[in-house]
Amino acid sequence: SLGDPVVNITFGTGNSSGSNFVPPAAYTYTSSTCPNDGSYTITGSTSSCFGGNWHSVGADHTGNGNFMLVNASYTPGDFFSSTVNNLCPNTTYEFAAWIMNVLKSNGIMPDLTFRIEKPDGTILGQYATGPIAGETNPRWLQYGFFFTTPPDNPAILLRITNNAPGGNGNDLALDDITFRPCGPAVTATISGTTGNISACVYDQLP
């Protein structure tokens, strides 16, 4: 079970990019919904980019806000970073984001690493997506991992890094970057019966 996010980057709605979004230092903002290499935009949709080589994306992951659309730089680098303080020690958190490969045709596939570090650069945990293949239809997929904070409860840096080069491909959309605490695992069992049982919320089972 997941709690309220400590970090929640939704990219806002309409003309707002969201007050808690920090732009990536290595990228240039553009108002175009078809950014060129090394640029990004915050938008609620994109269509007919680069002769139709990109998917037309009509909405963000939730269907009612903006997302970050990136045409990756030729040099790998960070898409996102944020420092978090005063976390609970020995607590499990989920670091995740929703991602879409917007390229229709064959090309360089996005390849990201989610990383959690101490301020001195010591890596506390990381997860690699591997190459994210394109799909026939645009589809948001969530990537991320679970991480348990150490006992000394240091300040931590959340980082999403682009590993692939730019050029023909490595074009992607990101949405709903979250870092949120997890409750304990819940295991449900039913005793005294055999076979299958169908139940809905609030049903009282015999």
Side-chain angles (χ1 to χ4, degrees):
S1 59
L2 297 168
D4 292 335
V6 177
V7 174
N8 188 23
I9 309 297
T10 67
F11 301 107
T13 59
N15 294 325
S16 170
S17 64
S19 59
N20 56 354
F21 171 61
V22 178
Y27 284 81
T28 302
Y29 172 79
T30 177
S31 59
S32 170
T33 57
C34 300
N36 290 313
D37 287 310
S39 298
Y40 78 96
T41 194
I42 306 299
T43 182
S45 64
T46 183
S47 64
S48 304
C49 289
F50 305 105
N53 286 327
W54 284 14
H55 286 299
S56 292
V57 183
D60 73 342
H61 159 245
T62 60
N64 59 2
N66 293 332
F67 56 90
M68 179 181 179
L69 182 63
V70 185
N71 192 328
S73 171
Y74 288 95
T75 303
D78 290 343
F79 285 151
F80 166 81
S81 63
S82 178
T83 300
V84 184
N85 298 284
N86 302 317
L87 297 172
C88 297
N90 298 310
T91 301
T92 301
Y93 289 80
E94 180 198 54
F95 180 26
W98 290 84
I99 300 170
M100 179 192 299
N101 182 346
V102 299
L103 187 68
K104 287 182 181 179
S105 58
N106 293 329
I108 301 168
M109 291 181 282
D111 186 341
L112 309 181
T113 296
F114 291 69
R115 185 176 291 115
I116 297 176
E117 306 172 358
K118 288 184 177 181
D120 64 3
T122 301
I123 297 175
L124 299 175
Q126 63 182 357
Y127 163 76
T129 65
I132 300 174
E135 301 201 29
T136 303
N137 298 308
R139 183 164 68 118
W140 291 101
L141 296 171
Q142 190 181 40
Y143 295 85
F145 72 111
F146 293 100
F147 164 77
T148 300
T149 52
D152 56 346
N153 192 27
I156 64 171
L157 176 67
L158 307 177
R159 191 188 301 276
I160 300 178
T161 302
N162 167 40
N163 301 315
N168 180 25
N170 200 8
D171 309 310
L172 68 158
L174 295 94
D175 195 21
D176 292 332
I177 302 171
T178 55
F179 185 69
R180 50 186 178 174
C182 305
V186 177
T187 301
T189 61
I190 299 175
S191 60
T193 187
T194 59
N196 296 325
I197 291 179
S198 297
C200 295
V201 176
Y202 305 122
D203 279 357
Q204 293 185 357
L205 298 179

